[in-house]
Amino acid sequence: MENFIEFAGKRSIPDGENFIVALGVFDGVHLGHQLIIRQASARAAASGAKVLALSFHPHPRQLLTPDQAPELLITRSRRVELLGAAGADVCGFINFTRSVAGWEPEDFLEKLRDVSGLRISGICVGKQWRFGRQGRGSREVLAAFCQKNRWSFDAVEELTVDGVTVSSSAIRTAVAEGRLEYARAMLGRDAELAGVVVPGHQIAGKQLAAPTANLQLEAGVLVPDGVYCGIAEVDGREYKAVLNIGFAPTFGGDPRRIEVHLLDFSGEIYSHPLRVSLCRFLREERKFSSPEELKKQIFQDIVDAGRFCRLQKK
C-alpha cells in the first residue's frame, strides 16, 4: 500500500532481506521497548534475518483523542536513533490515519504482509500490546496470523520497577512529578527535553554573565519548576548545563520558559535543535533580593553542574 510505511533515512528497504518486525509505538524507547528489540534481534540472528522496528506516526492518541494526547517523551528522530542503538537494523513509521485506525486487526496484518518489497519472517511485540480497530488485536490474534503465514512470533513479558509496569505513561507521570531517578530506572537513561533555541530577553547574558538558550519545547515532559543540571547536546557536541524552568521572579516574572546555560560554550545557536538530559534537581526557583544575589547563586549552580554531570561523548 503506497505511503503505508515510511522508512527512516531510506527510500526503500534492502531487496532480498527477510525481517523480524518489532511492532509498537516505542515512545521513549524505554527498557521495555529495548527488551522487545533485543528479542527481535535474537530471533533475527538465529534465522539470518534483519530487525525492522515499526513505530507509528503520529501517536495514535494524537489522532483519535487529541484533547487527551500524551506529551511525547522524545522526538521522532531521537526515536530512530535509540531504536537503532537498541539493535534495529531499519526503522519505519506506519502513517497512522483514520483509515488505518478503522482497520480490523486481521486487515492491518494483511496490509503489513503485502507491503511491496517487505519480506517478513516474524513479529515481535510486548505481551499486552493491542492494535487494530478499537484495540481489538491481541497477542492471540497475532499468534494465529503468524502461524498461518509461517512466521515466528514472540510476545515479550513486560518489565516492572518497584512493582509498576514500565510504560511511557508511567515515565511521563514520574517526570512530571520530578521523580527523575524513578524515570531513569524505567528509561535506562535520563529523561530528556528537546526543541529549538528561540530568542529570549537576553537578561541572563547581560546582567548575570550566564547567557542562556531559550528552549521552545518539541518533545519531553516538563519537570516541576526549579533549577536542574543536565547534559545539553547541540550540533553533535555535549556540554554540561544548568536549566531554569519557571517564571524568572527576580525580574518581575515572565511566562513560563525553559532557559539552558551551557558550560564552557560560546557561540550563536538560535534556531538550532537542542536536547537536554535531566541529571539532577538542584534547587527551587525563587525571587532574589537583587540580580547580584542571583548571580552568586547561578555561579554555585554552575559549580554543582560541574560536579554532578558527566559527559558521555568525548
Side-chain angles (χ1 to χ4, degrees):
M1 177 181 178
E2 186 179 1
N3 295 327
F4 176 39
I5 297 176
E6 177 184 345
F7 295 99
K10 299 176 180 291
R11 296 183 63 87
S12 62
I13 57 175
D15 291 335
E17 294 280 8
N18 285 317
F19 285 93
I20 303 296
V21 177
L23 274 170
V25 176
F26 297 133
D27 179 34
V29 192
H30 55 59
L31 290 178
H33 296 149
Q34 294 171 40
L35 185 59
I36 294 170
I37 301 300
R38 288 203 300 274
Q39 177 59 40
S41 296
R43 178 71 74 173
S47 61
K50 299 290 186 182
V51 176
L52 167 60
L54 269 187
S55 183
F56 292 77
H57 183 76
H59 189 292
R61 284 171 59 189
Q62 288 180 321
L63 179 76
L64 299 176
T65 55
D67 56 329
Q68 302 173 28
E71 298 166 295
L72 296 182
L73 292 170
I74 54 177
T75 63
R76 175 168 158 160
S77 60
R78 181 65 165 156
R79 200 183 320 174
V80 171
E81 177 186 347
L82 291 172
L83 287 169
D89 298 291
V90 180
C91 295
F93 291 89
I94 292 170
N95 293 313
F96 193 73
T97 64
R98 291 200 174 275
S99 175
V100 172
W103 292 347
E104 295 296 336
E106 293 81 1
D107 295 332
F108 173 84
L109 292 171
E110 288 171 2
K111 297 288 187 183
L112 181 61
R113 178 194 61 197
D114 296 338
V115 170
S116 177
L118 178 59
R119 294 171 56 181
I120 297 174
S121 57
I123 288 181
C124 185
V125 297
K127 194 169 184 179
Q128 301 302 320
W129 190 64
R130 310 289 298 191
F131 68 102
R133 184 180 180 187
Q134 298 179 345
R136 294 174 183 172
S138 63
R139 65 179 181 273
E140 289 81 14
V141 173
L142 274 166
F145 189 88
C146 288
Q147 183 178 31
K148 176 182 175 181
N149 286 274
R150 298 182 179 179
W151 294 349
S152 65
F153 175 65
D154 293 282
V156 178
E157 289 284 351
E158 295 178 315
L159 295 177
T160 60
V161 173
D162 295 339
V164 176
T165 299
V166 174
S167 68
S168 299
S169 59
I171 293 166
R172 291 185 192 101
T173 298
V175 175
E177 294 175 351
R179 295 182 292 141
L180 293 178
E181 290 188 6
Y182 190 55
R184 185 181 301 117
M186 291 187 281
L187 282 164
R189 64 181 190 283
D190 291 324
E192 302 172 357
L193 301 175
V196 175
V197 178
V198 297
H201 297 302
Q202 301 182 337
I203 293 173
K206 292 178 179 178
Q207 298 190 42
L208 305 176
T212 59
N214 286 267
L215 185 65
Q216 181 173 292
L217 195 64
E218 293 182 350
V221 175
L222 277 181
V223 285
D225 291 349
V227 178
Y228 298 79
C229 61
I231 302 296
E233 181 171 334
V234 60
D235 296 338
R237 295 194 61 183
E238 286 186 344
Y239 303 88
K240 296 179 182 181
V242 175
L243 298 83
N244 187 88
I245 299 173
F247 301 90
T250 302
F251 294 98
D254 284 305
R256 193 183 197 201
R257 58 188 182 183
I258 308 166
E259 299 174 287
V260 186
H261 172 68
L262 281 61
L263 279 63
D264 302 318
F265 172 84
S266 63
E268 177 59 69
I269 54 173
Y270 287 136
S271 302
H272 289 228
L274 175 67
R275 185 176 74 247
V276 188
S277 299
L278 299 168
C279 298
R280 184 170 180 150
F281 173 78
L282 294 180
R283 61 177 177 84
E284 294 181 349
E285 184 185 46
R286 64 186 179 89
K287 184 175 181 178
F288 288 82
S289 60
S290 68
E292 192 61 33
E293 288 299 311
L294 174 56
K295 185 176 179 179
K296 291 178 183 178
Q297 180 60 60
I298 290 174
F299 177 79
Q300 183 60 52
D301 296 337
I302 291 171
V303 171
D304 290 340
R307 290 171 52 209
F308 296 134
C309 298
R310 296 288 180 269
L311 298 179
Q312 300 299 314
K313 294 182 180 179
K314 305 297 184 182

Short mmCIF file of all heavy atoms in Angstrom, two decimals, residues 64 236 262:
data_model
loop_
_atom_site.label_atom_id
_atom_site.label_comp_id
_atom_site.label_asym_id
_atom_site.label_seq_id
_atom_site.Cartn_x
_atom_site.Cartn_y
_atom_site.Cartn_z
N LEU A 64 -6.72 10.11 17.45
CA LEU A 64 -8.02 9.62 17.88
C LEU A 64 -8.62 10.43 19.03
O LEU A 64 -9.83 10.66 19.07
CB LEU A 64 -7.90 8.15 18.30
CG LEU A 64 -7.44 7.20 17.19
CD1 LEU A 64 -7.27 5.79 17.74
CD2 LEU A 64 -8.44 7.19 16.03
N GLY A 236 25.78 18.15 17.59
CA GLY A 236 26.60 16.96 17.75
C GLY A 236 27.59 16.98 18.89
O GLY A 236 28.35 16.02 19.08
N LEU A 262 24.75 26.68 28.92
CA LEU A 262 25.73 25.67 28.55
C LEU A 262 27.10 26.07 29.11
O LEU A 262 27.59 27.16 28.82
CB LEU A 262 25.82 25.52 27.03
CG LEU A 262 24.73 24.70 26.33
CD1 LEU A 262 23.35 25.31 26.53
CD2 LEU A 262 25.03 24.57 24.85
#
